[in-house]
Amino acid sequence: MCSSDLLLAARRSANEGSAIASLRTIHGAEMTYQSTAGSGNFAGTLTTLNGAGLVDSVLSSGTKSGYTFTGGKTDATTSAPSTFWYSGVPISGSGLTQSGTRKFGVATDGVLRFSTAALTSQFANEAAVNAADALSN
């Protein structure tokens, strides 16, 4: 490997580390939101979490360190609690400009998960996140 290949690999690794840290931040923010402003329901959007002062404006934009993020929620009903999920995928999933080699997700249970399939497609919902492999962390 030449030095530029090593530099690109290091950048991808740093981007993935940032994506994992962002999802941990989002999970903590959602838990805080549910127990305060959400009155038992989760926010389900980064914009809402930012409005509550729980994530910064960079993360709430949906793009950070080579990854894009999205999420959703299901409000509580009389028979089921509120749930949420978030997904982060590399901005570029292949080629010289590849910004990551895995996509990541987190749901209500807080288990960080990943997949190497369909890198440019977000996890579609909580079930898709939960079906992915758990990250060894």
Side-chain angles (χ1 to χ4, degrees):
M1 264 188 178
C2 70
S3 61
S4 62
D5 291 338
L6 293 174
L7 181 62
L8 292 171
R11 179 176 294 213
R12 284 190 299 272
S13 180
N15 288 346
E16 289 186 0
S18 176
I20 291 166
S22 293
L23 288 171
R24 286 186 176 130
T25 297
I26 291 167
H27 185 269
E30 281 287 3
M31 291 300 167
T32 300
Y33 184 89
Q34 181 203 29
S35 64
T36 57
S39 301
N41 287 310
F42 293 107
T45 71
L46 295 170
T47 304
T48 302
L49 291 174
N50 178 259
L54 298 172
V55 298
D56 65 24
S57 61
V58 175
L59 185 53
S60 73
S61 75
T63 302
K64 183 176 181 182
S65 298
Y67 273 73
T68 58
F69 298 91
T70 191
K73 68 171 181 162
T74 302
D75 285 336
T77 65
T78 56
S79 60
S82 181
T83 61
F84 72 90
W85 62 274
Y86 283 86
S87 175
V89 300
I91 291 171
S92 175
S94 65
L96 186 60
T97 61
Q98 184 178 26
S99 56
T101 60
R102 299 178 289 179
K103 66 180 177 183
F104 300 100
V106 69
T108 313
D109 64 5
V111 176
L112 288 165
R113 299 186 179 275
F114 77 96
S115 175
T116 57
L119 287 182
T120 57
S121 299
Q122 298 280 3
F123 288 113
N125 52 39
E126 184 178 13
V129 170
N130 289 330
D133 294 325
L135 189 64
S136 298
N137 53 347

